[in-house]
Amino acid sequence: MPELQGLYDAVVNGDQKAAVRLTKEGLDAGVEPMELLSSYMIPAMDEVGRRFECEDYFVPELLLAARAMKGAMELIRPLLTASGAQPAGRVAIGTVKGDLHDIGKNLVASMLEGGGFDVLDLGADVAPEKFVDAVENKKVDLICLSALLTVTMPSMRTTIEALERAGVRDKVKVIVGGAPVTEQFAKDIRADGYGENANSAVALARKLVMAARAA
Amino acid sequence: MRLKLISCEVLYREMCACVARSPHQIDIEFLPKGLHDLGGARMRGRLQEVVDSTDPSVHETILMGYALCGNGLAGLTARTVPIVLPRAHDCIALLMGSRHKYQQYFDENPGVFFRSTGWLERGKGLIPLSRRQTGVDTKLEELIEKYGEENGRYLFEELNNYQSHYRQMTYIRTGLEADGSFEDRAREEATQRGWTYASMDGDMTLFRRFINGDWGEADFLTVPPAHRVVVRYDDSIIGVEPA
């Protein structure tokens, strides 16, 4: 039996090579993929999030942990799919029209993937119609909108309005985030939630998707 | 009037030029551009400290040489001395002389990075704290030293990738430049990054009105004592509420 605590440490320390190697060893030794995910990897990401909240970790550490998680997930995801396990949810994510900044968006995308979501990354400077298309044709449960500039925050509103006009707003949850975005703004534009950082975005995504499925 | 101007150093030359010709007596305190990288809440905290250190028996109004600046000004509170600040998202609107002109330029020219005298000569090596938090603009060697060869290279790629989305460098000429050296530097930077280069004439009108006391409500917000700045998600950009 491999030392699986090492997998937890590898994710927390952002060591992708070790994370991939230990995941492989675990799987080879017959550990259930779900066990690796829920007992080691997700707790590790929770710890990374905790360290970020108390400012032990900053963006670079988050990026490295998400990358380690992603590497391990590439081995685990096909097995989960084959065993009929549902992803945590399908997400379309993008930086809104006019805004080209994507570090935050990429980070949230990686963290969501790490959290077991099926992520459709639409990139930066994404037109509202592309989000509408993701709901209509890609069956996403959740849309994540990112903006770094206050100048481009109105694009979040126009994106939500486009979903309303297309008659698909009630088919999807929408969460917003990015440095200048606030809880109040999220309410103003009728978003379903606001993620203050990548860590809280993942928790919020889980909560909203679970609630929608239960409804 | 005797006014106190608290300004971002990125507007150093524009502010100094207007202060020199102002009918009022103005004391200036420039603050590091790096404050912007601390995030809205911390930036506001530092600005509030400076606002609160103002002596009401000396200055009758505080001028904030800032814009909304990523919500860095949201929540800023006037205690006993009123505060005046321009209605704008950021300093590019001030340099262009109009937030509407800025919005139009922004919409018509996606992927533009702006430069001005302040953006070229200010804000280097002042507050390294920001880099610790975001890692943006950190040198490859530093990242490798801290995170190891492989992780360091990955981070450098990820953290600088946003620059690949930009396509153009626009230099905003204010007419205060002594010679063409600023434009030369901006053009050179554009070439290095593989972007096209453009320049445009700025407009000093908002700076002049700000410093001269022409604070019409359409372009400036006056925060009375015991009130604070709030974000308005419309064309007015900012408003006030009781603190």
Side-chain angles (χ1 to χ4, degrees), chain B residues 105-143:
Chain B
Y105 192 92
F106 191 93
D107 292 342
E108 288 171 2
N109 300 273
V112 172
F113 223 75
F114 293 98
R115 285 284 181 258
S116 66
T117 59
W119 278 96
L120 285 162
E121 69 183 353
R122 294 279 162 185
K124 292 196 175 69
L126 281 164
I127 295 195
L129 181 66
S130 62
R131 288 208 233 133
R132 195 175 116 237
Q133 294 195 312
T134 64
V136 171
D137 293 338
T138 311
K139 288 200 179 76
L140 175 62
E141 300 77 56
E142 286 176 53
L143 288 168

Side-chain angles (χ1 to χ4, degrees), chain A residues 173 204-215:
Chain A
K173 298 291 178 192
L204 180 62
R206 280 205 197 108
K207 196 177 99 186
L208 286 173
V209 171
M210 266 161 63
R213 282 183 179 171

Side-chain angles (χ1 to χ4, degrees), chain A residues 72-213:
Chain A
M73 280 305 287
E74 275 164 24
L75 297 176
I76 287 180
R77 193 179 296 108
L79 300 174
L80 288 177
T81 311
S83 72
Q86 289 293 314
R90 279 178 74 81
V91 183
I93 186 170
T95 308
V96 292
K97 187 160 179 54
D99 203 320
L100 299 159
H101 300 88
D102 62 0
I103 296 176
K105 183 267 295 170
N106 292 344
L107 185 56
V108 174
S110 301
M111 300 272 286
L112 284 167
E113 278 186 9
F117 284 87
D118 192 358
V119 178
L120 176 64
D121 188 343
L122 300 176
D125 188 18
V126 180
E129 304 78 60
K130 288 197 178 164
F131 287 104
V132 172
D133 177 68
V135 182
E136 287 178 338
N137 301 314
K138 306 283 179 5
K139 300 263 181 289
V140 297
D141 306 296
L142 181 73
I143 285 177
C144 300
L145 304 176
S146 171
L148 181 73
L149 307 171
T150 54
V151 194
T152 53
M153 277 167 66
S155 292
M156 292 183 153
R157 188 192 299 274
T158 50
T159 303
I160 289 179
E161 285 168 356
L163 294 169
E164 290 169 349
R165 264 201 313 281
V168 296
R169 178 66 185 89
D170 58 349
K171 290 186 181 158
V172 71
K173 298 291 178 192
V174 181
I175 64 175
V176 294
V181 180
T182 62
E183 182 93 55
Q184 183 58 47
F185 178 71
K187 283 198 184 111
D188 279 8
I189 62 169
R190 300 186 293 276
D192 296 296
Y194 158 67
E196 196 188 353
N197 53 50
N199 189 43
S200 64
V202 177
L204 180 62
R206 280 205 197 108
K207 196 177 99 186
L208 286 173
V209 171
M210 266 161 63
R213 282 183 179 171

